[in-house]
Amino acid sequence: MRLAILYASKYGATRSVAETIADGCRDEGIETSVVEIGKSTPVPDADVVLVGAPVYAGSIPGRVRRFLEQNTESLTQVRLGLFLCCLYSGTRAEQQLADSVPARLLAHSFTRRYVGGRIDFDSLRFCDRQIMKRVGGIDHSVDTISNEAIRRIMADVMNR
């Protein structure tokens, strides 16, 4: 099996989760690549594609949204998994995913996970600190990354 993990990350939390998933899958003998989504990222030649995105001010980055929209047809031809790095869980996280991903891909995906989020408040740019304070009510560092959610993604991938 070939697994491709595509992600976007602004401050590194989503990249870290993608790399952790990749390391775990490689340990299980799965050929795995990790690719940051750019302006013209193609859909990799893989059996399974995981797409991971952070949530900033209530939405995923535009480059991830565009990648999903422009590649909907190709992504429905592979096993597709989705994960979000966000500070919300439950209904609110589900709504963020539903608002960000084409309905056809949501319906097609074999896994949809919310792994928590990480904010190093002191490393944020001034503008991002203000957004966190005003939109999220956060004025300090937070780390809610769930190793259990990451393990579940890996189990989902290996559950052929």
Side-chain angles (χ1 to χ4, degrees):
M1 174 191 328
R2 291 166 301 160
L3 166 65
I5 303 172
L6 286 77
Y7 73 93
S9 191
K10 189 169 183 177
Y11 287 103
T14 310
R15 178 181 61 242
S16 176
V17 169
E19 290 171 352
T20 300
I21 294 167
D23 289 344
C25 289
R26 285 183 191 117
D27 289 347
E28 295 297 321
I30 297 172
E31 181 184 330
T32 305
S33 61
V34 180
V35 178
E36 185 166 9
I37 296 171
K39 289 183 179 181
S40 59
T41 303
V43 175
D45 182 21
D47 305 301
V48 180
V49 175
L50 287 179
V51 177
V55 174
Y56 293 109
S59 64
I60 66 173
R63 62 187 156 138
V64 177
R65 185 184 309 266
R66 283 186 299 279
F67 171 80
L68 293 170
E69 290 169 353
Q70 292 170 356
N71 294 289
T72 296
E73 190 61 39
S74 296
L75 291 168
T76 59
Q77 304 305 310
V78 298
R79 287 185 69 219
L80 174 68
L82 306 165
F83 69 91
L84 286 183
C85 284
C86 62
L87 296 179
Y88 301 118
S89 60
T91 305
R92 193 152 183 196
E94 290 172 18
Q95 189 62 50
Q96 287 180 320
L97 192 60
D99 291 344
S100 302
V101 175
R104 185 172 172 204
L105 292 179
L106 271 179
H108 175 72
S109 61
F110 71 92
T111 188
R112 293 172 296 282
R113 300 280 181 188
Y114 319 100
V115 300
R118 180 181 305 128
I119 297 170
D120 179 359
F121 196 78
D122 295 332
S123 73
L124 297 178
R125 292 181 291 195
F126 176 78
C127 182
D128 290 336
R129 280 195 305 267
Q130 298 309 308
I131 290 171
M132 285 295 165
K133 286 180 183 179
R134 291 194 175 108
V135 175
I138 296 170
D139 62 359
H140 59 281
S141 293
V142 177
D143 188 343
T144 62
I145 298 290
S146 166
N147 289 324
E148 179 58 29
I150 293 169
R151 281 191 292 276
R152 287 182 180 157
I153 293 169
M154 290 186 284
D156 292 344
V157 167
M158 290 179 256
N159 183 15
R160 301 173 176 131

